């Protein structure tokens, strides 16, 4: 911090050593910094894309947290983490903030390897209280008197893990654990369910904390006895509250001291309530009210659209590239078309109505549309219940979030042979959201479940074919998986199937196997190799699991087989094909190009290129394989 800055000086983020200098500033100086941060958030996300509305709503809250806790000694855990951009700015990453979500830049989510201030990696919802509870327990065992702070959104409270953690954490009164609820009446879509209604009722009791603060401030001004009387009132808080509210909060029933609700855009109120919470040295729940999208009118008016947004024009709020159809929207519109003639067809989302294209179904058939909140486990078992009564549930869910419901897929759907259809959105590489969101595990996960069928179409038309087959011809668990974004089709649409199809060249001894959007890359690689005088056949799989019994016999005559797959290699389809060939005693050259480990943030194209899954990389791999007699 510049020397001799007084209380009236204007300061900017660049003037400060962050986060430590925040404690030296006045509230007006901090308020000015909050405006600077909002402008920086809007400017940066307009260029990089990312999560805007949630971050705009959490600026003052983040400022208050860093002024009143000592990170990294005090551990701050961000739930999901998509509201942690201000946290990144205030913890030494201002100079790198322009690289947000870019290849080689800073992550859009908390990442411990990026900064000591990022306590725990977070890209999924409802985990923060469990993490903070574990950290607080470890601190106690290690004799540390620091705080563990979980910052959670109201949408995340629809996840069952939150209640498991709260139930466990509140039992031990000796933990320095503080849970801060950032309540903006939103998750990604509008918050739903009984929890949302409960929080609404609590928001209407704001007069309690205002009354309590006013009484305590007044008493503390009384000489000699004021402070002790105020402390006494704090100790009998529950009885005072019951007289004003005539209710006990669910958080207190779980063993937490409840403070709030407070204005999440008032630094003075936030700092006062945090100071109060720290004084208890036991589990405390702070209820903070914020406005999602605060400070940018387009985001305030339509926070769902600005939850996760691509590059946009600041002046108008419009995206740089006009939105076109995507796999998600085509899936949603086709589901509506099928539902017109089928009143048993139902659609389910876990707080991702717009992300999965189900807004069309909700508009047309609201009685058969179910938004269960951020609760993927419940969504799957709920779908099983619908299926047990003869309905046909379709659960559209991102691949990365489907991971959370593995047990329910096994226990509540597959064992009972119930007919549930999964729309596995964002399958494969998703790009800038990085490791926590890449959809590379759904294939190994789903193929481990008996009685499961998986389709992976290569274009919109094929997806519609697969949807119809999955819904009306399959009997058990059926999944249609498709990537993020729009189709790219340079191949002939005569090459469409719901099973598998050979695209043959004359006298080829080399076979490419692939599926999904990679077929377009393989097709382009095939054409490039053909121009070089190298002939390759392609086997395009659409129903990727289970594999046909005679597949091994169909492909074992090739001298060279290369499988390109947008999945982790362990448990993949290419691994299963390798097992089939091994059992047949195949003596040719079989190789696989897949992902290994977690894939870091970058554009989709860059990620695929690094994995060797673009057309030019495929062609180079085949050339080298031929040149080196099976050694790439």
């Amino acid at each position: 911090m510049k020397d001799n800055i007084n209380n009236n000086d204007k300061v900017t983020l660049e003037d400060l050593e962050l986060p430590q200098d925040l404690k030296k500033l006045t509230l007006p100086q901090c308020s000015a910094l909050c405006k600077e941060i909002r402008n920086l958030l809007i400017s940066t996300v307009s260029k990089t894309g990312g999560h805007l509305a949630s971050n705009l709503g959490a600026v003052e809250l983040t400022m208050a947290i860093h002024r009143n806790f000592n990170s990294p000694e005090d551990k701050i855990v961000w739930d999901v983490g998509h509201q942690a951009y201000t946290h990144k700015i205030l913890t030494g990453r201002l100079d790198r903030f322009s690289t947000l979500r870019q290849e080689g830049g800073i992550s859009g989510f908390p990442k411990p390897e990026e900064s000591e201030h990022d306590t725990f990696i977070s890209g999924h919802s409802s985990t923060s209280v469990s993490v903070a509870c574990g950290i607080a327990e470890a601190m106690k065992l290690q004799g540390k008197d620091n705080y563990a702070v979980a910052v959670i959104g109201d949408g995340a409270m629809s996840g069952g893990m939150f209640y498991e953690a709260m139930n466990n954490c509140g039992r031990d009164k000796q933990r320095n654990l503080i849970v801060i609820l950032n309540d903006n009446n939103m998750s990604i879509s509008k918050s739903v369910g009984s929890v949302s209604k409960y929080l609404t009722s609590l928001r209407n009791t704001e007069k309690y904390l205002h009354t309590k603060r006013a009484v305590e401030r007044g008493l503390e001004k009384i000489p000699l006895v004021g402070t002790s009387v105020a402390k006494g009132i704090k100790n009998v808080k529950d009885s005072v509250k019951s007289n004003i509210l005539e209710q006990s909060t669910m958080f207190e029933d779980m063993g937490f001291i409840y403070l709030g609700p407070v204005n999440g855009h008032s630094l003075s109120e936030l700092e006062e309530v945090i100071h109060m919470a720290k004084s208890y040295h036991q589990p405390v729940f702070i209820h903070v009210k914020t406005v999602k999208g605060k400070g940018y009118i387009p985001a305030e008016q339509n926070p769902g659209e600005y939850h996760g947004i691509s590059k946009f024009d600041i002046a108008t709020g419009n995206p740089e590239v006009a939105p076109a159809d995507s796999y998600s929207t085509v899936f949603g519109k086709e589901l509506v078309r099928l539902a017109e003639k089928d009143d048993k067809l139902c659609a389910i989302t876990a707080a991702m109505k717009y992300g999965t294209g189900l807004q069309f179904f909700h508009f047309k058939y609201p009685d058969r549309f179910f938004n269960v909140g951020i609760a993927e486990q419940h969504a799957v078992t709920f779908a099983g219940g619908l299926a047990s009564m003869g309905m046909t549930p379709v659960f559209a869910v991102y691949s990365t979030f489907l991971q959370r419901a593995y047990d329910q897929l096994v226990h509540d759907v597959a064992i009972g042979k119930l007919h549930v259809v999964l729309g596995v959105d964002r399958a494969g590489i998703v790009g800038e959201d990085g490791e926590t969101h890449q959809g590379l595990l759904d294939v190994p996960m789903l193929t481990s479940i008996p009685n499961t069928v998986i389709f992976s179409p290569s274009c919109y038309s094929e997806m519609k074919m697969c949807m119809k087959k999955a819904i009306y011809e399959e009997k058990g668990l059926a999944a249609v998986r498709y990537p993020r974004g729009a189709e790219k089709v340079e191949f002939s649409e005569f090459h469409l199937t719901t099973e598998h199809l050979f695209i043959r060249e004359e006298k080829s001894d080399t076979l490419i196997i692939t599926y999904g959007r990679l077929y377009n890359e393989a097709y382009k690689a095939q054409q490039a190799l053909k121009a070089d005088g190298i002939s390759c056949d392609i086997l395009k799989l659409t129903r990727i699991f289970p594999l046909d019994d005679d597949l091994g016999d169909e492909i074992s005559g090739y001298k060279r087989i290369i499988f390109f797959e947008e999945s982790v290699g362990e448990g993949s389809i290419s691994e299963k094909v390798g097992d089939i060939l091994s059992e047949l005693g195949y003596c040719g050259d079989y190789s696989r190009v897949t992902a290994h480990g977690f894939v870091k943030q970058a554009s989709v194209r860059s990620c695929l290129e690094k994995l060797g899954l673009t057309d030019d990389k495929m062609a180079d791999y085949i050339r080298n394989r031929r040149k080196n007699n099976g050694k790439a």
Side-chain angles (χ1 to χ4, degrees), residues 176-300:
N176 279 348
L177 172 66
I178 297 175
V179 177
I180 300 177
L181 168 62
N182 177 16
D183 176 7
N184 54 34
N185 200 27
M186 292 285 292
S187 49
I188 296 171
S189 301
K190 200 79 171 174
S191 291
V192 296
S194 299
V195 171
S196 177
K197 293 178 182 177
Y198 178 74
L199 290 176
T200 299
S201 72
L202 288 180
R203 293 181 199 112
N204 294 330
T205 63
E206 189 172 0
K207 63 180 182 179
Y208 160 69
L209 195 57
H210 286 305
T211 302
K212 182 173 184 293
R213 286 199 200 104
V215 171
E216 287 179 350
R217 282 195 294 263
L219 287 170
E220 286 170 354
K221 293 176 182 178
I222 300 174
L224 300 179
V225 299
T227 301
S228 61
V229 173
K231 192 174 294 184
I233 284 181
K234 182 170 71 174
N235 292 336
V236 296
K237 179 177 70 74
D238 290 343
S239 61
V240 173
K241 180 180 288 187
S242 65
N243 289 329
I244 296 175
L245 302 184
E246 296 181 353
Q247 68 175 10
S248 174
T249 71
M250 127 179 106
F251 312 114
E252 289 173 321
D253 292 339
M254 289 179 169
F256 282 72
I257 292 170
Y258 173 84
L259 301 176
V262 295
N263 180 357
H265 301 298
S266 168
L267 283 171
S268 61
E269 288 190 35
L270 286 167
E271 297 205 356
E272 188 173 348
V273 76
I274 291 173
H275 179 73
M276 190 186 303
K278 289 173 67 176
S279 71
Y280 285 106
H281 294 285
Q282 66 184 75
V284 178
F285 189 96
I286 302 176
H287 185 176
V288 176
K289 297 191 307 178
T290 62
V291 175
K292 195 167 187 178
K294 176 76 171 177
Y296 184 54
I297 291 175
E300 286 190 36

Side-chain angles (χ1 to χ4, degrees), residues 85-222:
Y85 292 2
T86 300
H87 162 78
K88 288 176 179 278
I89 292 169
L90 295 180
T91 52
R93 284 165 277 185
L94 174 64
D95 60 338
R96 291 185 289 153
F97 195 65
S98 62
T99 68
L100 180 72
R101 301 176 73 250
Q102 306 304 296
E103 186 172 357
I106 63 173
S107 171
F109 299 94
K111 203 169 185 180
E113 68 182 58
E114 183 180 294
S115 169
E116 63 179 350
H117 297 281
D118 288 3
T119 299
F120 205 86
I121 195 164
S122 173
H124 288 184
S125 174
S126 312
T127 63
S128 62
V129 182
S130 296
V131 173
C133 183
I135 288 171
E137 186 63 37
M139 286 176 172
K140 188 175 73 170
L141 291 171
Q142 294 165 6
K144 296 178 180 178
D145 194 35
N146 299 105
Y147 292 88
V149 182
V151 186
I152 188 168
D154 55 310
M157 288 175 59
S158 59
M161 193 172 173
F162 166 79
Y163 300 95
E164 295 176 24
M166 290 288 289
N167 180 61
N168 179 253
C169 298
R171 293 184 302 180
D172 187 343
K173 301 301 184 185
Q174 305 305 311
R175 291 191 181 108
N176 279 348
L177 172 66
I178 297 175
V179 177
I180 300 177
L181 168 62
N182 177 16
D183 176 7
N184 54 34
N185 200 27
M186 292 285 292
S187 49
I188 296 171
S189 301
K190 200 79 171 174
S191 291
V192 296
S194 299
V195 171
S196 177
K197 293 178 182 177
Y198 178 74
L199 290 176
T200 299
S201 72
L202 288 180
R203 293 181 199 112
N204 294 330
T205 63
E206 189 172 0
K207 63 180 182 179
Y208 160 69
L209 195 57
H210 286 305
T211 302
K212 182 173 184 293
R213 286 199 200 104
V215 171
E216 287 179 350
R217 282 195 294 263
L219 287 170
E220 286 170 354
K221 293 176 182 178
I222 300 174

Side-chain angles (χ1 to χ4, degrees), residues 218 222 252 313 408 410 422 496 511 515 538 543 592 604:
I222 300 174
E252 289 173 321
D313 177 73
Q408 288 69 30
V410 174
L422 302 174
L496 301 184
L511 177 67
Y515 58 81
I538 299 177
R543 190 193 70 189
R592 308 185 293 135
V604 170

